[in-house]
Amino acid sequence: MAELSLQHLDKIYDNNVQAVFDFNMDVKDGELIVLVGPSGCGKSTTLRMVAGLEDISRGHLFLNGRDITKTPAKDRDMAMVFQNYALYGHMTIYENMAFSLTLRKEDKNVIHKKVMAAAEILDLTNQLNKKPNQLSGGQRQRVAMGRSIVRNPSVFLFDEPLSNLDAKLRGATRREILLLHKRLGATMLYVTHDQTEALTLADRIVCMSMGHVQQIGTPMELYDTPNNTFVAGFIGLPPMNFYPVTVKDGELAGQGFSVPLTEAERDTLSDYANKEIILGVRPEDMTEGGTLPVDVVTNENLGMNTLVHGYIAGQHGLNITAKLRGWKDYRNGDGVKLQFTRKHFFDKDTTNAIRKGAK
Ligand code: ADP
């Protein structure tokens, strides 16, 4: 059982760079939390503060109610899986997995049991006598996880564990981590810059930008109701399209185009009459057959869907990407009329989402 509470965590490095600002979160036992954001946003720093590899400048960290803010890393009962899964080349897989237990001089029989159990979970039973260079990248990553599992830590910490793997292996290993989490039921914190990993793995996502938490919620919450334009643009692929528009009676007026508003949308925007806001539309929330003329630049067939890239007719600055269902064959210079099936609205000044009833 492992509940974590991160309370008002700040990290200020020696060079006075503040990497993390007021990080607050309660992690429930068995939750898989993914910290996501662009490079440099403070995800690894946060993870390393939890691991005890970086001092916490301000704030407190609790594990099962116990204040571990100043507890040394080795006494925190956590295991970290790194991007560089440095295995010992001269040791067998078995010896690599047993290494930390051997160091602690655990009983040989106990070590054997633990290694065999971890190998079973990770499907490495037939690889135990091999050396790391005889294994594939994905298998080596599993060995690195095995080294953590044998220690039976209360919290697993993952720092971009898949970034060294090629795309296909990344998908497969991601699913293995998901299964591993289900089997172990352990509390896990996982850092990645990849929004797909965040959406597919997380029980809850923490989306960060420039040291600040932008939103904490389930993948569905971040995708469906992003707090601000940052989260809206970061979660979802291809990213959401954004346009400055003015709220008019029954429609949104943009530069050289307008789109109709539904009754419910008018209601949501009732405080913004004649004001400029930011309209956000996901590529997958567009269909053919509307009133918005778009000039096509490129057409990318993905099989089940087609990505149509272009710009709003006559407005070269207003790029648009639509993800249309099925196989389309638009060509450069073609025109297509689109409609938006779902719209997101953001305050122009704060960039925060405009939501009904939220004042
Ligand atoms: P991320 O994991 O999101 O890529 P990091 O947590 O590694 O981001 O870094 C956050 C910020 O802190 C960055 O601006 C980075 O340059 C800075 N930083 C990271 N490590 C150190 C360090 N040891 N000393 C000074 N600044 C650092």
Side-chain angles (χ1 to χ4, degrees):
M1 136 106 194
E3 284 174 0
L4 280 172
S5 182
L6 290 69
Q7 299 185 3
H8 303 291
L9 298 192
D10 282 339
K11 178 63 189 183
I12 303 156
Y13 282 110
D14 291 341
N15 57 359
N16 273 335
V17 170
Q18 182 153 1
V20 177
F21 297 80
D22 198 28
F23 193 111
N24 285 293
M25 179 173 205
D26 286 329
V27 179
K28 295 195 266 292
D29 181 43
E31 255 192 314
L32 201 174
I33 301 294
V34 177
L35 307 183
V36 73
S39 178
C41 73
K43 336 178 264 298
S44 299
T45 301
T46 305
L47 195 75
R48 293 170 63 81
M49 285 196 285
V50 173
L53 302 175
E54 288 291 349
D55 290 340
I56 294 170
S57 307
R58 270 194 296 264
H60 289 272
L61 176 66
F62 294 87
L63 176 61
N64 296 327
R66 189 165 63 92
D67 191 332
I68 58 163
T69 310
K70 301 216 182 294
T71 304
K74 65 177 175 44
D75 301 328
R76 285 193 186 192
D77 194 18
M78 299 182 186
M80 190 133 165
V81 181
F82 291 96
Q83 169 185 140
N84 301 316
Y85 38 81
L87 303 179
Y88 299 106
H90 61 286
M91 294 184 190
T92 64
I93 300 309
Y94 183 100
E95 288 162 346
N96 265 284
M97 282 169 59
F99 187 67
S100 67
L101 305 178
T102 313
L103 268 190
R104 289 191 207 171
K105 303 199 170 29
E106 277 216 39
D107 179 80
K108 272 224 163 71
N109 290 326
V110 174
I111 294 178
H112 186 70
K113 249 193 206 144
K114 288 182 175 173
V115 171
M116 294 314 284
E120 173 80 35
I121 288 174
L122 296 164
D123 196 17
L124 289 169
T125 310
N126 295 325
Q127 317 295 334
L128 291 172
N129 293 323
K130 293 186 181 167
K131 296 276 175 66
N133 63 7
Q134 295 171 281
L135 263 50
S136 70
Q139 288 171 325
R140 284 205 288 265
Q141 183 55 263
R142 295 216 293 273
V143 178
M145 287 189 237
R147 291 203 300 200
S148 303
I149 294 172
V150 294
R151 291 173 45 199
N152 193 26
S154 36
V155 181
F156 284 84
L157 306 172
F158 294 89
D159 194 358
E160 304 253 6
L162 308 186
S163 53
N164 281 348
L165 307 178
D166 66 46
K168 205 168 164 192
L169 206 49
R170 237 187 348 254
T173 313
R174 198 173 71 209
R175 288 186 282 282
E176 274 164 17
I177 291 177
L178 207 51
L179 280 177
L180 185 67
H181 176 246
K182 290 235 177 335
R183 280 188 207 135
L184 298 174
T187 307
M188 296 183 172
L189 259 57
Y190 186 109
V191 160
T192 179
H193 63 275
D194 181 346
Q195 63 92 37
T196 308
E197 272 175 43
L199 284 175
T200 51
L201 281 174
D203 291 321
R204 284 191 298 158
I205 297 174
V206 182
C207 185
M208 297 180 73
S209 167
M210 294 178 3
H212 294 270
V213 172
Q214 303 295 315
Q215 187 165 2
I216 300 179
T218 62
M220 176 72 166
E221 282 165 351
L222 270 74
Y223 175 81
D224 205 42
T225 50
N227 271 354
N228 53 38
T229 53
F230 179 83
V231 178
F234 195 81
I235 301 288
L237 200 71
M240 189 182 277
N241 300 275
F242 295 105
Y243 307 102
V245 292
T246 305
V247 181
K248 298 287 183 194
D249 202 19
E251 64 173 28
L252 296 174
Q255 190 190 328
F257 74 98
S258 67
V259 287
L261 288 170
T262 65
E263 203 59 44
E265 289 166 347
R266 287 164 73 164
D267 195 23
T268 303
L269 294 172
S270 56
D271 291 343
Y272 286 82
N274 298 311
K275 289 195 181 132
E276 199 173 295
I277 62 162
I278 299 164
L279 165 65
V281 187
R282 293 200 184 278
E284 55 272 36
D285 291 332
M286 300 184 194
T287 59
E288 293 157 293
T291 55
L292 182 74
V294 166
D295 291 337
V296 174
V297 176
T298 55
N299 183 92
E300 291 181 296
N301 293 113
L302 302 175
M304 205 166 86
N305 303 298
T306 305
L307 292 183
V308 177
H309 305 278
Y311 48 86
I312 293 177
Q315 307 297 325
H316 284 248
L318 299 181
N319 292 327
I320 190 163
T321 294
K323 186 174 183 176
L324 303 177
R325 260 192 93 77
W327 191 279
K328 309 289 174 188
D329 281 311
Y330 290 106
R331 281 161 205 275
N332 183 290
D334 280 354
V336 54
K337 289 210 166 141
L338 296 178
Q339 62 187 342
F340 299 153
T341 54
R342 168 91 203 270
K343 307 183 194 81
H344 298 262
F345 308 121
F346 303 93
D347 187 285
K348 179 174 152 279
D349 299 322
T350 64
T351 77
N352 289 335
I354 301 169
R355 296 207 181 110
K356 199 183 160 190
K359 290 198 176 155

